[in-house]
Amino acid sequence: MQFAGSHILSVSQFEREDVERIFSVADRMMPYGQRKRVTEVLNGAILGAMFFEPSTRTRVSFGSAFNLLGGEVRETTGFENSAIAKGESLYDTARVLSGYSDVIAMRHPEVGSVNEFAAASRVPVINGGDGSNEHPSQALLDLYTIRSELAASGRSIDQLRIAMVGDLRHGRTVHSLCMLLCCFKGVQVVLVSPEALRMPPEIVESLRNTGHKVVESEILEESIAHVDIVYSTRLQEERFSSLEEADLYRGRFRLNQSIYTHHCEPNTVIMHPLPRDSRAHARELDDDLNDNPNLAIFRQTDNGLLVRMALFALILDVVDQVDKHARDVNWYTGGRF
Ligand code: NCD
């Protein structure tokens, strides 16, 4: 695809070569993500960050990624602080805000809302999550993490074996990740969820049509026994009609160190898009996994910076200028990486 000036709304926009291009640009962002160097390549550019649903890492990492490329961030969070609360349409908001920004990252609770906004925007829009539909930048950072975790043992995304666990019906990260896996070959996917929270059938069908093997299960222990990656997810309680209904499924699949030791192959990588729900009645990933070296959740969040920097550099067409506008950093950066 042509990245310059494009919206990023769905992973279905990407061919395999596009995913590989994003990953190779993300690799080049490493010295900046690790604060060894800073670049001013986007000096003067403005990111409009509009998050109408709760967000910590997606919002802050989009902002930090833009800052690390030398740009500035203007943001609005929550409907209550926005003119949408006064009845303004997405069309009008998009026309206005795209006059103030060079690129926009947006999250919204309604499926399709970011597409509607993008259709009216005068600048590229990145979907930071539209309801239970898609979360393309998360899927890219997840797959980038899978690629780097597997590279350590000489494996690649082709022939990957992955178990996705939890609320697969409402989880937009797993929807986008499955669709992104359709760019690769010979993948085995085990989908572990309660019957009522299964992966949407059209996504399962896309995986099968690609030639991937898909198994659906309600039993965690046997499903995580022969996989490279266990990708756990949070119950998306905000998508249920009531908390009582969400409670029916809460805490159903919990991974802790003891289950991991007894059922997983050595070095199975544990992932989660975060936030994990650490309340006692949930705990889909127990805190006792925190010292497990295969817990990759914070490597995922670090990688999110690199992948989002890569998206901005590609969309604003500055990939080859990043290093020309760079210098070494001169402040303390120790200990983090
Ligand atoms: C996810 C999301 O918002 O879809 N979080 C994220 O962006 N990393 C997952 C979740 O909220 O459970």
Side-chain angles (χ1 to χ4, degrees):
M1 69 176 270
Q2 142 102 27
F3 282 101
S6 291
H7 301 302
I8 305 290
L9 300 174
S10 163
V11 293
S12 56
Q13 289 170 247
F14 302 130
E15 308 275 347
R16 180 181 181 133
E17 63 181 25
D18 303 319
V19 178
E20 286 169 351
R21 172 89 176 120
I22 295 166
F23 290 175
S24 81
V25 176
D27 288 341
R28 288 167 58 182
M29 298 300 162
M30 195 82 78
Y32 303 99
Q34 296 189 343
R35 314 297 199 280
K36 295 194 171 98
R37 291 178 64 71
V38 280
T39 174
E40 295 293 327
V41 70
L42 290 185
N43 185 8
I46 295 176
L47 166 69
M50 308 182 53
F51 280 73
F52 297 117
E53 263 194 340
S55 175
T56 304
R57 73 223 81 235
T58 305
R59 181 170 59 83
V60 177
S61 79
F62 267 122
S64 295
F66 208 74
N67 288 152
L68 287 169
L69 290 168
E72 294 202 30
V73 183
R74 296 281 173 272
E75 61 180 24
T76 172
T77 54
F79 289 114
E80 67 283 8
N81 299 319
S82 140
I84 291 181
K86 298 180 180 175
E88 187 170 57
S89 66
L90 279 175
Y91 176 89
D92 286 4
T93 311
R95 298 301 294 173
V96 173
L97 282 163
S98 52
Y100 302 157
S101 320
D102 297 282
V103 57
I104 291 173
M106 181 177 179
R107 170 173 288 187
H108 192 286
E110 276 163 41
V111 173
S113 52
V114 184
N115 287 44
E116 185 185 335
F117 182 92
S121 171
R122 295 177 275 165
V123 299
V125 175
I126 305 179
N127 182 359
D130 63 320
S132 59
N133 185 35
E134 275 225 47
H135 194 343
S137 65
Q138 180 72 41
L140 287 165
L141 77 89
D142 288 339
L143 200 59
Y144 182 78
T145 304
I146 290 170
R147 168 186 174 261
S148 72
E149 297 289 320
L150 296 186
S153 55
R155 290 169 294 165
S156 69
I157 300 171
D158 292 320
Q159 271 72 55
L160 169 73
R161 301 167 305 160
I162 182 168
M164 298 186 195
V165 183
D167 182 357
L168 307 183
R169 176 177 173 199
H170 302 109
R172 55 194 171 200
T173 72
V174 282
H175 298 167
S176 291
L177 183 56
C178 281
M179 286 157 64
L180 200 56
L181 285 173
C182 292
C183 295
F184 293 81
K185 293 197 200 102
V187 177
Q188 295 180 35
V189 189
V190 188
L191 300 172
V192 190
S193 70
E195 170 81 27
L197 303 182
R198 281 164 81 156
M199 181 67 74
E202 60 279 10
I203 297 181
V204 176
E205 197 162 305
S206 299
L207 286 165
R208 290 201 171 120
N209 288 343
T210 309
H212 296 338
K213 189 173 162 218
V214 184
V215 174
E216 298 187 270
S217 169
E218 291 193 58
I219 304 168
L220 179 69
E221 288 77 1
E222 66 183 32
S223 304
I224 59 177
H226 303 291
V227 294
D228 307 302
I229 308 281
V230 177
Y231 186 103
S232 171
T233 64
R234 179 182 67 88
L235 185 74
Q236 307 283 292
E237 62 180 24
E238 63 277 32
R239 312 271 179 239
F240 288 79
S241 49
S242 68
L243 273 186
E244 290 70 34
E245 194 196 346
D247 282 338
L248 295 174
Y249 308 102
R250 206 185 296 280
R252 180 80 179 272
F253 302 110
R254 298 170 183 233
L255 184 61
N256 59 26
Q257 186 57 48
S258 158
I259 294 173
Y260 179 90
T261 307
H262 285 99
H263 297 280
C264 291
E265 291 175 359
N267 297 325
T268 301
V269 176
I270 307 162
M271 296 176 58
H272 191 300
L274 300 182
R276 58 178 156 166
D277 188 342
S278 294
R279 293 172 290 187
H281 55 310
R283 291 213 181 127
E284 63 271 8
L285 276 191
D286 202 285
D287 289 349
D288 74 358
L289 290 161
N290 287 358
D291 295 326
N292 184 325
N294 295 300
L295 184 74
I297 56 179
F298 303 118
R299 294 193 284 277
Q300 281 172 266
T301 51
D302 284 352
N303 287 336
L305 263 190
L306 308 180
V307 167
R308 293 187 169 116
M309 288 176 83
L311 288 176
F312 288 133
L314 284 159
I315 293 169
L316 296 177
D317 204 13
V318 293
V319 171
D320 293 328
Q321 298 170 57
V322 171
D323 296 335
K324 284 187 209 141
H325 296 268
R327 58 181 164 77
D328 291 340
V329 306
N330 54 11
W331 62 85
Y332 175 77
T333 60
R336 270 180 300 183
F337 301 102

